[in-house]
Amino acid sequence: MHSGWHRYGVAGIFCLLMLVGTGSARADDGEDSVFCAWAQQVVAGTKLAANVVSHTSYENFVNSKASDSPLTVQQYWSNPLDGPGSLNRVVSCKMKTAERINEAYPPAEQGGPAVASGNQSCQKVVSEVLVGVLGGIPREQLLVSPDTLRVDEEETTYIGPMWLKPWPFEPLHRGEDGLLHLRSRALYVPFAWWIPMPDRFKGNYYCHLIAPDFLDAVLRGIVEPGV
């Protein structure tokens, strides 16, 4: 269950994906389908709207690849809370780096601005999600003080097995400092000649992220963080 995030403050950004004139259609039309397209915009600093391929199989997601032409990202919701119809705690996105997007979509005019302004981070996406979720909760319904929340620096990895393990990914934990820490794990592989990998494995930015509905339920006191 992860169908309520469209009511958050980030909804304006999500809706913008429907309107950007990129000539790019999403691979599926469910409301959840645009999350990783929005995350791609944040990670690469671009207004392009990516196609999204949503997976229900972990193995299929693991074997999938993001692509830059056409710009396509891979998406997987996982790590549900116990119980029927429970919230997924994690959304994973396989995306492309700003450099690869700029290579695939050069400016219309020579010397014009780049389509993607530069790589950001999974941490940046989590920060944007937190701001949006907090903005969608009336103060009287907010049972977790924002002062007790911290967005941790992303855990950066460079090869697939390091990004995938340990699994399932835990996006939220209470630290020894008593604060709730929002975590993310990135796989970043630049498109560089000296990296001993086939080209299809380069120019990628992958993120494991906290699912907005799960964060919303935690902040409202509906569910415990669980870790």
Side-chain angles (χ1 to χ4, degrees):
M1 176 180 177
H2 44 265
S3 61
W5 55 257
H6 59 285
R7 68 179 179 272
Y8 301 140
V10 287
I13 302 174
F14 293 147
C15 290
L16 183 63
L17 290 166
M18 307 286 194
L19 304 175
V20 173
T22 64
S24 180
R26 297 196 315 278
D28 52 344
D29 293 324
E31 63 185 10
D32 299 323
S33 68
V34 298
F35 182 90
C36 286
W38 168 76
Q40 173 72 89
Q41 291 184 328
V42 176
V43 160
T46 184
K47 293 183 179 180
L48 287 177
N51 296 327
V52 180
V53 178
S54 294
H55 296 270
T56 57
S57 162
Y58 173 77
E59 292 300 326
N60 287 346
F61 177 71
V62 169
N63 293 326
S64 68
K65 297 283 188 298
S67 64
D68 49 34
S69 185
L71 184 59
T72 303
V73 298
Q74 308 289 333
Q75 177 174 275
Y76 181 59
W77 300 85
S78 65
N79 197 7
L81 296 170
D82 292 336
S86 293
L87 293 170
N88 287 302
R89 290 184 281 185
V90 176
V91 54
S92 301
C93 303
K94 290 185 174 183
M95 302 169 286
K96 301 302 292 184
T97 61
E99 310 91 74
R100 295 312 297 165
I101 293 173
N102 286 332
E103 181 71 19
Y105 299 89
E109 299 180 4
Q110 187 174 4
V115 171
S117 62
N119 295 321
Q120 301 297 314
S121 66
C122 302
Q123 176 186 345
K124 170 70 171 174
V125 180
V126 172
S127 296
E128 294 283 348
V129 168
L130 177 58
V131 169
V133 171
L134 283 171
I137 302 176
R139 182 172 295 274
E140 65 273 13
Q141 296 179 23
L142 185 64
L143 298 187
V144 176
S145 170
D147 292 338
T148 66
L149 301 170
R150 295 292 183 274
V151 177
D152 288 352
E153 184 176 348
E154 69 180 22
E155 174 190 351
T156 305
T157 66
Y158 303 96
I159 58 174
M162 292 175 62
W163 183 65
L164 292 169
K165 296 180 180 178
W167 189 262
F169 176 72
E170 296 294 347
L172 186 68
H173 75 98
R174 191 174 296 280
E176 295 181 359
D177 53 10
L179 303 176
L180 280 176
H181 292 258
L182 282 69
R183 302 174 57 239
S184 58
R185 185 188 298 155
L187 183 150
Y188 170 59
V189 184
F191 196 88
W193 65 267
W194 45 265
I195 295 179
M197 294 180 180
D199 285 354
R200 68 181 182 277
F201 294 107
K202 302 178 187 179
N204 292 319
Y205 214 126
Y206 296 176
C207 295
H208 294 313
L209 307 158
I210 191 166
D213 276 3
F214 170 60
L215 178 58
D216 177 82
V218 169
L219 299 186
R220 293 176 187 266
I222 297 172
V223 301
E224 294 292 327
V227 291

